[in-house]
Amino acid sequence: MKKNLTSLWQKFFGDSVRAFGVVGLIFLASMAIAPSKNFFSEWRHYQRAYLRTIRNRSDANTLERHFQGGIQQIWLPALDVVDRCTTCHVGLKEASMTDVATQPFRKHPVIPHNLDQFGCTICHRGQGAATNVAEAHNSTLAWEQPILPAKYIESSCGQCHRGALPGTPQLNLGRSLLARQGCVHCHTVKLPEGSTMKAIDDPPSLSHIADKTTREWIFAWLKDPQAYASTATMPNFQLSDENARDISAFLIANSTPVTDDTLKVSVKPSSDPAAGASLYGESFCASCHAVQNAAGNIVGGDVGPELTRIGNKVKPEWLQGWIRNPRIYDSGTAMPHYRFTDAQVATLSGFLLAKTDSDFLSKVHLDPATSEQIAHGKRLVSDYGCASCHEIAGIKKPENFAPELSHIGSKPITQLIFLAGMKHTLPDYIAGKIKQPRAFSPGLKMPQYTFTPAQIDALTTALLSLNERSYTLSASLAVPAVTESDYQPAGKAGKLMSDLACFSCHRINGHGSTMAPDLTWEGSSVQREWLAQFLKNPGTLRPALIRRMPRFNLSDSEINELTDYIMTVYQNPNIDRDSMPLSGYPPGEVELGKQLFYGKYSCQGCHIVDTKTDKGYIGPTLTHIGSRLTAPWTYQWMKNPQSLRPGTMEPNRAMSDEDARALTAFLMSQTGGKQSPVAPKAARKPSPRQEVATK
Amino acid sequence: MNRCVLVMAMSFVFLAAGCSPKKESSAAKPTAFGVAIVESSGGKQFAETGALLPQPLVVQVNDEQGNGVSGALVEFAAPAGVSLDPAYALTDSSGQVTTNVSLADMAGRYHIAASTFDKSHKKVEVKIEEIALGYQQRLGRRLNEQYCDRCHNPESTVERVSNFDNLEVKPHPFAEGDTLNNMSDSDLNAIITYGGAAINKSALMPAWGNTLSKADIQALIAYIRAVSDPPSRAAGPFYENK
């Protein structure tokens, strides 16, 4: 053996010439490894495959001319981007490569940004500098950033775009869920622009809960909120019977009565279901409240709580007080003060109290609470952080109750604990936590939500957008959100408007809901008589809508107050109400307007002027438009509807002044057979032509 | 490196060949056989790339009389990147199998094959198409919902009453590929931008060129191409199981 080795040694390194030759060969061979590794590298393989793919295409010459071999790179020092993705993704910018199904050669789908300006990893994550597939896309030991699955891609838009974008519905939904489903009551989310995300839901105060409901109902609700109302926002804390018993004991014992005589006024609830249903319908309760119908479908809005089993929940005297004036129990409620008569209160309360499920509380039997139970209940209320959402007398809202979620989109994977069988990526971790928080550890306090898979994806998308880059981005790239203004109307009318909760449906000066029309320019838009009449008895303007303005039984002085305020304050500075008359237009101009209406602009597709012939069902019915709108508003609306109401569906037709004028003349003549009230005064020649600034 | 990949690929092929039939027979053994397989619901849905389809896909195995067969094995096959939960199952008492489908990361049309075997072990198959929308098509879909759907979609919902029946000249639903596929992109662009009258069609179709941006109109066209039936060639590739 040893002899063999010695002779082998002698053979190769016996003399200096031999040794030199052999060592030289070894060096040569090892030096050849580098170029051959390069030759066989993955990216060269893809570039050769690309050239083979394009060879037989009709535009092969163009594509070959565009092709650049070797490692390609998008380098953007300002964004900290070094992306070599285009080395293999060769056809990304080739317009004709849309029909190629094989990756990595397909053209990039159309997006609003230029690839050369932003690179690839800003949106897709992954490792830009890598030149092989695994390192670029996957999480290997060396890299923390795997490629972002396509379903979360909108999170990348959210790094710069802090507000809602039309092209990012999932991100918008996720952000609104964070604010609406109570997440940010417990978790602090500091936004990149420095502010803290605010919750927009309004969990009820529990300080007077005993006025409203029974301990049995609280127990059943705590055990399973969705069993009472499938749309309930409150999550399931998976409490034991004992814990639910003790918390309900504490809440009832802790409750103090609301002292106000109006609450005590009680009438006998009526048992006329037909009258109740029709009052419920007329009052448009369903615009905000939902009820589950016999088929199991939830019908109605989601502004207020679901009412399917309301009779199981509320005490009759509380319900009557609430219907009479909800602001006495909760001064900040989104519910309007309807000014119902005693008879109406009786009808509506009778109708609502009949909405019960006889099984719902039948199994709940609670013995009177002991002081130990109440004390234990109080401890549990602190432990579970109930006061993070609800106002509870004597319990302070806890600070930083749950982990802060700012920067969650960049949390290192090494800091995460995954469940068995889970993919080890950050998106999977976040989605898993939202889906089943207690699965990660039985001791966790985070409750179980009933999110759909789409909602979980949306929430995950919104959270992933809170990554390091979004906080460190140069300010010039950030697109800030449009913030909700805190506009409040002043004076007596302002008080009346908050009493009627106008902002629960309408938006004025950037504040309020978008359920009903924006009233910022209402004073320029409508005629005073019409507005007063409408507030007295709101009629149907848009037949296709199911949500309409309810009737509030307003007194004449209240109507005057509101009308005066709206007509004076909500004026568009570019519209002079007196610049065009309501009537007195030459018949020729009215006739021209009619022809334009039915011909060139075919307005009857969406609107009705003549109920016998027109069927358009999208826009408001125009049969009485001449007694509703002002002429200058109508004229400006013809010229550019979006300048008056951004986002309105009516297309901007870029009308000439003559067309807009003729149509205004025609529409102003539509008074439903009534004479226009200011006809004589308006007979003067309508000139000079008013020029309304178009924005 | 190359050899390594080759070895891995070959061993994977062997493994796959060796394993898959075994797994099938042990996990789900058919107790009955049908003669035909049909789609019950869940075809032609749209979802964003990578996302779960809003409704599950349901197929039914039928016997000669067209009645559902319970206990037949149904296997789903889909292009790479599409996830199926479950990928195979026995039909339930009404002869149906339900699976949840998440589409892959590329926009386009995906063909999912559902197959079963009849008594003579002959494979019968039904192909179901699902559509993944990319960014532009999704934007188009949203614009469609805001501006177009009220007239172009004949179906009414509780929240949205269709205006289709009220129009003297009926608009084309966007899925109407027979008509819309014959219109070029520039024709569609013209009719959306300048209105129906611009290309001698009904003036009931208004001009949207001053309301929507050029990019919006391109997005709408991309959406119309994506949903047309029969499919438009401009909608991009098909993804088939290979």
Side-chain angles (χ1 to χ4, degrees):
Chain A
M1 180 67 189
K2 198 180 175 188
K3 214 174 171 186
N4 274 347
L5 275 179
T6 323
S7 77
L8 207 65
W9 177 260
Q10 283 293 331
K11 213 170 177 177
F12 288 118
F13 303 101
D15 55 71
S16 51
V17 180
R18 266 186 206 202
F20 181 75
V22 170
V23 170
L25 276 173
I26 291 172
F27 272 125
L28 212 63
S30 54
M31 278 168 72
I33 291 173
S36 64
K37 251 179 98 173
N38 183 5
F39 182 78
F40 288 113
S41 65
E42 265 178 321
W43 61 268
R44 276 186 201 278
H45 157 78
Y46 284 119
Q47 290 191 348
R48 282 194 294 269
Y50 176 73
L51 289 172
R52 279 198 303 278
T53 311
I54 61 173
R55 195 177 296 153
N56 298 321
R57 294 172 63 96
S58 56
D59 55 348
N61 281 338
T62 325
L63 292 174
E64 269 164 20
R65 210 170 45 245
H66 292 174
F67 173 78
Q68 284 178 308
I71 290 196
Q72 303 296 311
Q73 178 170 290
I74 300 173
W75 180 41
L76 305 166
L79 294 174
D80 195 17
V81 160
V82 184
D83 285 353
R84 296 176 178 157
C85 315
T86 44
T87 307
C88 297
H89 292 271
V90 203
L92 272 190
K93 290 181 231 163
E94 298 295 349
S96 74
M97 297 295 276
T98 41
D99 56 346
V100 182
T102 44
Q103 280 293 47
F105 304 137
R106 194 174 170 185
K107 181 193 173 285
H108 194 283
V110 179
I111 49 164
H113 293 299
N114 185 340
L115 304 187
D116 292 323
Q117 215 180 337
F118 287 95
C120 311
T121 49
I122 287 235
C123 297
H124 290 280
R125 303 200 179 186
Q127 306 307 323
T131 53
N132 71 54
V133 176
E135 284 186 8
H137 299 86
N138 303 331
S139 183
T140 60
L141 283 179
W143 304 105
E144 265 281 330
Q145 284 265 48
I147 206 102
L148 190 66
K151 66 171 165 176
Y152 303 121
I153 197 77
E154 287 174 16
S155 70
S156 304
C157 311
Q159 297 173 113
C160 304
H161 296 271
R162 275 79 191 252
L165 282 175
T168 59
Q170 189 179 25
L171 175 67
N172 306 348
L173 172 67
R175 283 173 169 164
S176 84
L177 285 171
L178 281 176
R180 209 174 65 207
Q181 295 288 329
C183 309
V184 295
H185 284 298
C186 293
H187 296 278
T188 306
V189 176
K190 286 210 187 77
L191 297 169
E193 57 268 32
S195 61
T196 303
M197 198 183 232
K198 282 198 201 85
I200 56 166
D201 60 336
D202 185 19
S205 159
L206 306 182
S207 297
H208 316 293
I209 185 84
D211 279 3
K212 181 177 179 177
T213 186
T214 61
R215 190 176 158 213
E216 282 71 22
W217 181 84
I218 298 176
F219 175 87
W221 167 262
L222 285 170
K223 286 292 288 178
D224 186 357
Q226 280 69 34
Y228 167 75
S230 58
T231 58
T233 310
M234 167 116 163
N236 190 331
F237 282 82
Q238 299 174 331
L239 296 169
S240 67
D241 283 358
E242 288 69 36
N243 287 353
R245 178 195 67 196
D246 295 353
I247 294 177
S248 62
F250 167 70
L251 289 177
I252 291 289
N254 193 51
S255 167
T256 51
V258 173
T259 44
D260 194 298
D261 287 343
T262 39
L263 253 183
K264 306 227 163 59
V265 178
S266 102
V267 281
K268 193 171 175 293
S270 133
S271 55
D272 181 354
S278 85
L279 184 57
Y280 187 85
E282 279 164 29
S283 308
F284 294 100
C285 305
S287 296
C288 295
H289 295 280
V291 167
Q292 197 168 19
N293 64 14
N297 297 322
I298 302 289
V299 182
D302 63 355
V303 180
E306 183 188 326
L307 301 178
T308 311
R309 299 179 185 85
I310 185 72
N312 286 119
K313 174 182 175 181
V314 295
K315 294 183 171 171
E317 59 278 15
W318 179 88
L319 180 65
Q320 293 198 336
W322 178 264
I323 293 173
R324 176 177 298 278
N325 184 2
R327 243 155 271 287
I328 290 170
Y329 182 81
D330 177 2
S331 59
T333 181
M335 168 121 163
H337 174 192
Y338 267 82
R339 294 151 169 75
F340 285 124
T341 62
D342 279 359
Q344 285 178 317
V345 171
T347 308
L348 203 51
S349 61
F351 174 71
L352 290 172
L353 289 169
K355 292 187 176 300
T356 56
D357 178 345
S358 55
D359 293 341
F360 183 66
L361 291 175
S362 61
K363 291 203 188 83
V364 183
H365 299 290
L366 296 170
D367 294 326
T370 65
S371 57
E372 290 81 38
Q373 288 173 357
I374 293 171
H376 183 230
K378 186 172 185 180
R379 271 204 307 284
L380 288 169
V381 164
S382 302
D383 284 354
Y384 281 103
C386 306
S388 296
C389 298
H390 298 279
E391 184 191 304
I392 303 172
I395 307 239
K396 244 179 76 190
K397 180 178 161 61
E399 301 218 355
N400 301 325
F401 187 71
E404 184 172 334
L405 295 181
S406 326
H407 302 268
I408 179 86
S410 290
K411 199 159 168 108
I413 293 183
T414 44
Q415 292 180 11
L416 306 177
I417 296 164
F418 292 93
L419 293 179
M422 215 171 144
K423 259 211 258 165
H424 284 214
T425 71
L426 181 61
D428 283 273
Y429 173 80
I430 295 177
K433 273 287 235 190
I434 299 170
K435 193 174 175 193
Q436 270 195 309
R438 300 267 175 103
F440 286 76
S441 158
L444 291 182
K445 286 175 193 158
M446 172 145 164
Q448 179 68 46
Y449 283 83
T450 43
F451 292 126
T452 63
Q455 288 177 320
I456 292 176
D457 286 347
L459 278 165
T460 309
T461 303
L463 290 172
L464 285 169
S465 77
L466 297 166
N467 63 11
E468 223 46 72
R469 180 172 263 133
S470 73
Y471 291 91
T472 55
L473 201 72
S474 96
S476 62
L477 279 172
V479 186
V482 181
T483 45
E484 174 88 7
S485 83
D486 50 6
Y487 168 75
Q488 280 300 334
K492 257 168 103 180
K495 273 209 190 90
L496 195 52
M497 283 166 82
S498 31
D499 197 39
L500 294 169
C502 300
F503 293 93
S504 294
C505 300
H506 291 282
R507 197 169 176 82
I508 302 174
N509 291 332
H511 172 64
S513 157
T514 53
M515 188 202 288
D518 189 309
L519 301 181
T520 308
W521 311 132
E522 188 71 1
S524 300
S525 163
V526 299
Q527 299 172 23
R528 195 183 189 288
E529 295 74 28
W530 176 85
L531 181 60
Q533 190 53 41
F534 184 78
L535 288 172
K536 202 177 187 79
N537 194 7
T540 300
L541 294 178
R542 293 169 182 79
L545 292 187
I546 55 165
R547 299 201 171 113
R548 287 183 211 144
M549 171 97 165
R551 193 181 148 160
F552 290 116
N553 292 348
L554 293 168
S555 70
D556 285 349
S557 68
E558 285 175 329
I559 288 176
N560 268 333
E561 189 74 54
L562 267 181
T563 313
D564 282 345
Y565 190 82
I566 292 172
M567 296 309 287
T568 323
V569 178
Y570 297 141
Q571 290 277 351
N572 184 313
N574 297 322
I575 292 183
D576 175 6
R577 288 177 57 91
D578 298 323
S579 61
M580 284 172 89
L582 288 172
S583 62
Y585 294 92
E589 201 164 31
V590 174
E591 184 54 33
L592 174 63
K594 186 173 183 179
Q595 282 167 19
L596 291 170
F597 187 93
Y598 286 105
K600 185 173 175 188
Y601 297 110
S602 287
C603 313
Q604 77 277 19
C606 297
H607 297 281
I608 294 170
V609 159
D610 183 343
T611 45
K612 291 193 201 76
T613 54
D614 308 343
K615 295 184 192 160
Y617 209 57
I618 293 184
T621 305
L622 303 179
T623 46
H624 296 70
I625 192 77
S627 352
R628 177 161 79 92
L629 295 185
T630 64
W633 174 272
T634 311
Y635 176 85
Q636 174 63 10
W637 186 269
M638 294 297 120
K639 297 283 291 177
N640 186 351
Q642 279 75 27
S643 73
L644 298 176
R645 214 162 267 164
T648 187
M649 196 182 170
E650 169 141 356
N652 176 348
R653 311 294 288 266
M655 276 182 204
S656 67
D657 293 350
E658 288 71 29
D659 284 6
R661 220 184 140 72
L663 273 165
T664 305
F666 171 61
L667 290 173
M668 285 299 115
S669 73
Q670 302 302 313
T671 52
K674 268 187 288 175
Q675 270 293 316
S676 181
V678 282
K681 184 188 155 203
R684 73 188 153 91
K685 194 109 178 93
S687 66
R689 170 158 305 129
Q690 64 128 33
E691 285 300 327
V692 178
T694 313
K695 221 172 127 187
Chain B
M1 185 70 192
N2 262 0
R3 193 175 298 161
C4 185
V5 169
L6 195 72
V7 168
M8 271 174 62
M10 280 175 67
S11 56
F12 182 74
V13 168
F14 286 136
L15 265 171
C19 287
S20 52
K22 226 188 257 167
K23 201 166 110 197
E24 243 167 59
S25 56
S26 64
K29 200 163 184 136
T31 56
F33 300 92
V35 295
I37 182 164
V38 292
E39 176 201 326
S40 295
S41 68
K44 279 267 157 55
Q45 295 188 68
F46 316 123
E48 54 209 80
T49 46
L52 186 72
L53 290 179
Q55 301 296 324
L57 174 60
V58 185
V59 295
Q60 181 168 338
V61 176
N62 287 336
D63 60 13
E64 286 87 346
Q65 283 80 43
N67 299 322
V69 175
S70 148
L73 177 68
V74 173
E75 275 182 89
F76 296 97
V82 175
S83 83
L84 298 157
D85 177 29
Y88 55 89
L90 295 181
T91 52
D92 62 12
S93 56
S94 53
Q96 295 186 330
V97 163
T98 302
T99 187
N100 292 305
V101 183
S102 295
L103 296 179
D105 287 358
M106 302 293 291
R109 291 173 187 248
Y110 288 81
H111 278 176
I112 295 163
S115 62
T116 187
F117 289 93
D118 65 8
K119 268 185 202 117
S120 52
H121 292 278
K122 217 183 88 204
K123 193 174 181 180
V124 283
E125 193 178 68
V126 60
K127 268 196 181 157
I128 296 125
E129 190 174 280
E130 307 289 2
I131 301 166
L133 303 176
Y135 171 82
Q136 199 187 20
Q137 294 141 344
R138 244 144 60 199
L139 181 61
R141 174 158 78 159
R142 196 197 68 87
L143 292 165
N144 161 58
E145 282 161 10
Q146 190 178 349
Y147 296 106
C148 321
D149 213 32
R150 292 285 298 276
C151 289
H152 282 272
N153 181 356
E155 302 292 324
S156 286
T157 64
V158 179
E159 295 269 320
R160 184 192 57 79
V161 180
S162 171
N163 196 43
F164 184 86
D165 291 333
N166 299 329
L167 296 169
E168 237 163 82
V169 183
K170 301 292 174 216
H172 294 291
F174 288 166
E176 213 177 273
D178 289 328
T179 313
L180 296 175
N181 289 351
N182 295 329
M183 293 180 73
S184 65
D185 279 10
S186 59
D187 274 357
L188 286 179
N189 187 47
I191 197 170
I192 300 172
T193 311
Y194 304 111
I199 61 165
N200 287 327
K201 290 182 168 267
S202 169
L204 285 167
M205 166 73 190
W208 292 96
N210 298 302
T211 312
L212 302 176
S213 70
K214 285 201 170 76
D216 286 347
I217 295 172
Q218 287 309 313
L220 269 170
I221 296 173
Y223 174 73
I224 292 169
R225 297 305 189 201
V227 302
S228 71
D229 179 26
S232 148
R233 279 200 319 146
F238 277 93
Y239 292 98
E240 301 255 13
N241 197 31
K242 296 218 177 84

